[in-house]
Amino acid sequence: MGFLPERTILGYLEIIEVYDFYDKPVLFSCKNKSGLIFIVLCVDDSDLSEIWLYAPISSFRFNDIVQGRVELRDIFINAEDGFVYQVEVPYENASNAIVKTVDYNEIPDEYLPELGQVIQSENNFLNSNIETVSKEKRREIIDFILQFSEKEISEAPVGDLGLVLYSLQGTIDAIGQIKLGKSEGHIIQQEVKQKTQVVMSSVFSGSFGMRLEGSVYEEDTLSLGESFLGQCLKEFIQLVNIGANTEELPAKLNILKKKTAFKYTEFLEALARIGISKLHIGWASPDKKVQTGEIELETVFKALDVIKHTKLRAETEICVNVKLTQISYSSRRITLQEVGSKKKYNSFIADSAMKDVETISRTQVYVASIQDYVVLSPAVDKEKHEYELLSLKLQTNLESNDSL
């Protein structure tokens, strides 16, 4: 196109979308072969040439711009790199265009748009503001954006992307299991999956984005303004935003239980495998403000390390008849063997049980109350257990008869 500069440092330019037109495009977006995006505005003309401003922008900011979240004037005066390109394009030969950089604070005020103007993309998918779409569809809407080191990509490896989405759904399902009051040990039931199912409705670049939607919205929760899936997504985004906090992450996983911890570990490992630089999530729920979640690759690895060393308290304590095998008062460790079984519990002795073990005998049968902890293994879906002795009482005759 004649108004696009040719053979300049801007590269070979292609139009993405035109936002304003007067005999020719006067406000549009374009990109070069390297994926760098520009918002372009015609600011002046003469008998011989036209002057344009080219604002280089990141793909992430482009998403906000085409959704009307950034004022047009702000694109130029708050340019991400601190400058814009001023391009003078002769009418007769676009290959003779003159390109120079201009600091954002040196842009003539008459070149700048008026306050309050925004771009509203008609063709770009991301124009569909998720808050508006959520209200119209009465669904949960999620923009799930995998950012990579490249500026912009339009494709992603199927295998790795499949793992990300599979583990995302698995994590939401596991959270739903707990929200419905189901035991963490049970297989996730169909009634849970029906409430937590997420579907993909579109994909977009920048770097690689996917729009996900809840498959249902429960009418009986409209008065509360929050669906069951919305409750689960709130927990999930909190998990993401906690990052690798060594206190908050274990505390949250102890609330959401081991199945969620396993599935979330799968999710984080999938993000690491696909090689993101950052994950960005935008979530809109009917009658609720948009919420966001972000986690960078470095934090993903740190979070995996925190989870690996996290002990999750099992739902129920173990109550079992045992005999003493060995005890070390200095290290506060005791090994107890279940009566009539080869099962042994190598346990830490809690403060509440210290008096109970002062006079313990190898010949007596005791009733032990033991807290079971699951220690997450680096290998997904593998676990080991640690035990803490909470109390130890001599078995009564009645208890002995009951066990026969």
Side-chain angles (χ1 to χ4, degrees):
M1 295 184 182
F3 56 88
L4 289 175
E6 300 174 4
R7 299 177 184 177
T8 70
I9 60 173
L10 301 178
Y12 179 78
L13 298 171
E14 297 178 336
I15 296 288
I16 299 174
E17 188 176 1
V18 176
Y19 309 113
D20 197 7
F21 191 93
Y22 185 76
D23 293 332
K24 63 178 176 302
V26 292
L27 173 62
F28 60 90
S29 57
C30 65
K31 65 179 179 179
N32 60 25
K33 290 294 186 181
S34 299
L36 182 59
I37 302 173
F38 301 92
I39 296 295
V40 185
L41 177 66
C42 183
V43 295
D44 201 1
D45 59 37
S46 67
D47 293 338
L48 301 176
S49 63
E50 293 175 329
I51 297 177
W52 303 76
L53 294 182
Y54 279 67
I57 58 173
S58 66
S59 56
F60 182 67
R61 195 181 194 203
F62 181 57
N63 294 343
D64 285 339
I65 289 170
V66 297
Q67 292 183 75
R69 295 178 181 170
V70 181
E71 287 196 13
L72 187 55
R73 185 184 182 94
D74 194 58
I75 295 171
F76 297 94
I77 64 173
N78 285 316
E80 289 171 289
D81 291 327
F83 69 90
V84 300
Y85 294 100
Q86 181 174 305
V87 183
E88 184 175 353
V89 183
Y91 291 126
E92 292 185 356
N93 191 348
S95 63
N96 290 332
I98 300 172
V99 180
K100 65 178 182 180
T101 58
V102 178
D103 288 345
Y104 69 92
N105 55 1
E106 296 178 353
I107 302 173
D109 191 64
E110 60 267 25
Y111 283 1
L112 294 170
E114 295 180 2
L115 291 171
Q117 295 182 351
V118 295
I119 288 175
Q120 286 292 344
S121 167
E122 295 181 357
N123 303 316
N124 193 291
F125 161 75
L126 286 178
N127 179 56
S128 301
N129 182 283
I130 58 174
E131 189 171 2
T132 301
V133 174
S134 178
K135 289 179 180 179
E136 290 176 350
K137 289 190 172 184
R138 305 303 301 175
R139 278 186 167 191
E140 307 297 331
I141 306 293
I142 307 107
D143 277 352
F144 190 85
I145 303 170
L146 301 170
Q147 295 185 31
F148 297 91
S149 55
E150 297 88 350
K151 291 284 186 181
E152 179 178 0
I153 66 170
S154 58
E155 56 189 29
V158 170
D160 293 340
L161 183 60
L163 287 175
V164 171
L165 295 175
Y166 178 79
S167 55
L168 168 66
Q169 183 67 72
T171 305
I172 297 171
D173 290 344
I175 293 172
Q177 180 94 336
I178 298 303
K179 285 287 182 182
L180 279 183
K182 307 294 183 182
S183 171
E184 62 179 332
H186 290 168
I187 296 174
I188 296 176
Q189 299 172 353
Q190 193 61 33
E191 66 171 298
V192 176
K193 293 183 177 181
Q194 287 175 347
K195 293 175 179 289
T196 56
Q197 185 182 51
V198 173
V199 297
M200 183 189 299
S201 57
S202 299
V203 297
F204 50 91
S205 59
S207 292
F208 189 84
M210 293 160 281
R211 175 153 291 181
L212 310 176
E213 302 184 10
S215 59
V216 296
Y217 191 81
E218 299 166 276
E219 295 297 331
D220 60 352
T221 63
L222 291 180
S223 60
L224 300 176
E226 188 170 41
S227 69
F228 180 76
L229 175 58
Q231 298 173 40
C232 297
L233 290 173
K234 182 189 294 184
E235 296 284 0
F236 176 75
I237 287 183
Q238 286 177 0
L239 260 182
V240 170
N241 286 334
I242 284 172
N245 187 292
T246 54
E247 293 183 359
E248 293 183 23
L249 184 54
K252 174 62 75 173
L253 291 176
N254 263 293
I255 294 171
L256 298 178
K257 306 302 181 182
K258 69 177 181 180
K259 192 181 293 292
T260 302
F262 281 133
K263 295 301 180 183
Y264 187 59
T265 300
E266 283 183 346
F267 175 72
L268 294 177
E269 291 183 337
L271 292 181
R273 178 169 173 169
I274 203 171
I276 62 152
S277 59
K278 181 191 290 185
L279 166 68
H280 177 84
I281 302 171
W283 164 49
S285 182
D287 306 317
K288 296 286 184 180
K289 291 185 178 180
V290 173
Q291 297 187 38
T292 60
E294 281 192 350
I295 189 169
E296 296 183 352
L297 182 59
E298 181 182 1
T299 307
V300 168
F301 286 118
K302 289 180 179 178
L304 284 169
D305 189 63
V306 171
I307 294 174
K308 182 175 67 175
H309 296 94
T310 294
K311 294 197 305 183
L312 302 181
R313 185 185 296 267
E315 284 184 315
T316 57
E317 296 175 6
I318 298 170
C319 187
V320 62
N321 295 335
V322 296
K323 280 191 172 184
L324 173 65
T325 298
Q326 61 184 34
I327 186 170
S328 170
Y329 292 100
S330 59
S331 63
R332 296 183 64 164
R333 304 294 305 183
I334 188 170
T335 302
L336 301 167
Q337 182 163 346
E338 184 177 348
V339 174
S341 168
K342 294 183 179 180
K343 173 69 177 177
K344 290 184 177 181
Y345 298 92
N346 187 348
S347 307
F348 176 77
I349 306 171
D351 290 341
S352 59
M354 283 302 294
K355 287 187 176 181
D356 297 342
V357 301
E358 287 179 355
T359 58
I360 192 170
S361 167
R362 293 180 183 271
T363 61
Q364 297 288 343
V365 175
Y366 297 88
V367 178
S369 178
I370 299 171
Q371 179 62 61
D372 182 10
Y373 293 94
V374 177
V375 182
L376 302 178
S377 167
V380 175
D381 277 341
K382 300 294 182 183
E383 62 184 68
K384 64 178 182 177
H385 293 261
E386 289 187 2
Y387 303 103
E388 183 178 17
L389 179 65
L390 303 178
S391 68
L392 191 72
K393 305 297 181 185
L394 275 173
Q395 184 188 57
T396 65
N397 290 333
L398 181 58
E399 289 171 331
S400 178
N401 291 333
D402 289 342
S403 65
L404 295 177

